[in-house]
């Protein structure tokens, strides 16, 4: 008799603090560039689910940009990056489409679990390199060079946030004063 092979669910890098209030989503060996996807996921981390989906849709339409902070060699500078206080950025459409797919999967998982979708926040988001897929390219003088793709694994954990952060009441009681000005006030008036 042949033994049936049991399929196991993938292991996540972290466990959510509140498992009953969390949902997960992951993709393995995805044929999308690791470096671009890493920048997209880094930007989306910590956002509310609705904002993240809207942001990624805007990136595909080139209305918003993904700042490239680590893998940024030869990446052009764009004015749209000013909101992130980083000069370089791109619009990696394919990476955004993969991330949108995973976030929508997490959303349907949350819906099946009975969570409030509008309160979901991306608590954990991670990208890892997957094994490279090999092809070959033919060069001059009869040589052959590798022609590899750089796929990746992506995982998300979304948690239902219960607190709504409001702006603190500013009563104008104490403003920041520089050390120089404080020293001048302590020294007293000049003659």
């Amino acid at each position: 008799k042949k033994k049936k092979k049991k399929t196991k669910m993938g292991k996540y890098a972290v466990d959510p603090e509140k498992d009953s209030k969390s949902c997960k989503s992951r993709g393995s060996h995805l044929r999308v560039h690791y470096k671009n996807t890493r920048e997209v996921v880094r930007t989306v981390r910590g956002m509310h689910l609705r904002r993240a989906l809207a942001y990624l849709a805007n990136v595909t339409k080139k209305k918003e940009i993904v700042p490239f902070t680590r893998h940024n060699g030869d990446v052009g500078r764009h004015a749209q990056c000013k909101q992130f206080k980083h000069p370089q950025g791109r619009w990696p459409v394919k990476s955004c489409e993969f991330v949108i797919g995973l976030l929508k999967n997490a959303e349907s998982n949350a819906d099946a679990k009975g969570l409030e979708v509008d309160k979901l926040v991306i608590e954990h988001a991670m990208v890892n390199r997957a094994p490279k897929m090999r092809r070959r390219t033919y060069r001059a003088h009869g040589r052959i060079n590798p022609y590899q793709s750089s796929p990746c694994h992506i995982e998300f954990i979304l948690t239902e946030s219960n607190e709504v952060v409001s702006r603190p009441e500013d009563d104008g009681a104490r403003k920041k004063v520089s050390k120089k000005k404080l020293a001048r006030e302590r020294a007293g008036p000049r003659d």
Side-chain angles (χ1 to χ4, degrees), residues 70-167:
R70 180 172 295 171
H71 305 292
N72 57 3
D74 290 339
V75 175
R77 298 178 295 184
H78 297 281
Q80 280 186 9
C81 291
K82 286 179 185 174
Q83 74 181 81
F84 298 104
K85 295 184 170 56
H86 195 276
Q88 295 163 296
R90 279 183 177 165
W91 300 270
V93 174
K94 190 174 177 182
S95 293
C96 288
E97 285 168 357
F98 273 81
V99 172
I100 286 170
L102 282 170
L103 289 176
K104 283 188 176 172
N105 178 242
E107 183 182 348
S108 61
N109 291 345
D111 203 32
K113 227 175 175 184
L115 302 176
E116 278 193 60
V117 178
D118 293 328
K119 289 186 175 181
L120 290 176
V121 176
I122 301 169
E123 186 184 76
H124 167 76
M126 193 169 83
V127 183
N128 295 117
R129 290 179 194 269
K132 290 190 171 180
M133 299 173 78
R134 299 183 69 90
R135 287 184 290 168
R136 51 165 61 173
T137 185
Y138 301 92
R139 308 308 297 265
H141 311 295
R143 290 175 301 135
I144 290 173
N145 278 6
Y147 205 71
Q148 301 176 328
S149 66
S150 302
C152 61
H153 310 304
I154 312 171
E155 65 180 49
F156 288 105
I157 295 177
L158 283 70
T159 307
E160 200 177 86
S161 69
N162 47 9
E163 75 276 349
V164 177
V165 180
S166 60
R167 188 171 240 151

Side-chain angles (χ1 to χ4, degrees), residues 54-83:
Y55 168 74
L56 293 169
N58 286 341
V59 170
T60 56
K61 296 174 194 165
K62 291 198 172 186
K63 289 182 178 175
E64 288 189 84
I65 199 164
V66 174
F68 274 52
T69 55
R70 180 172 295 171
H71 305 292
N72 57 3
D74 290 339
V75 175
R77 298 178 295 184
H78 297 281
Q80 280 186 9
C81 291
K82 286 179 185 174
Q83 74 181 81

Side-chain angles (χ1 to χ4, degrees), residues 170-177 182:
D170 188 28
D171 53 347
R174 187 170 172 266
K175 288 186 177 178
K176 279 190 178 178
V177 184
L182 283 171

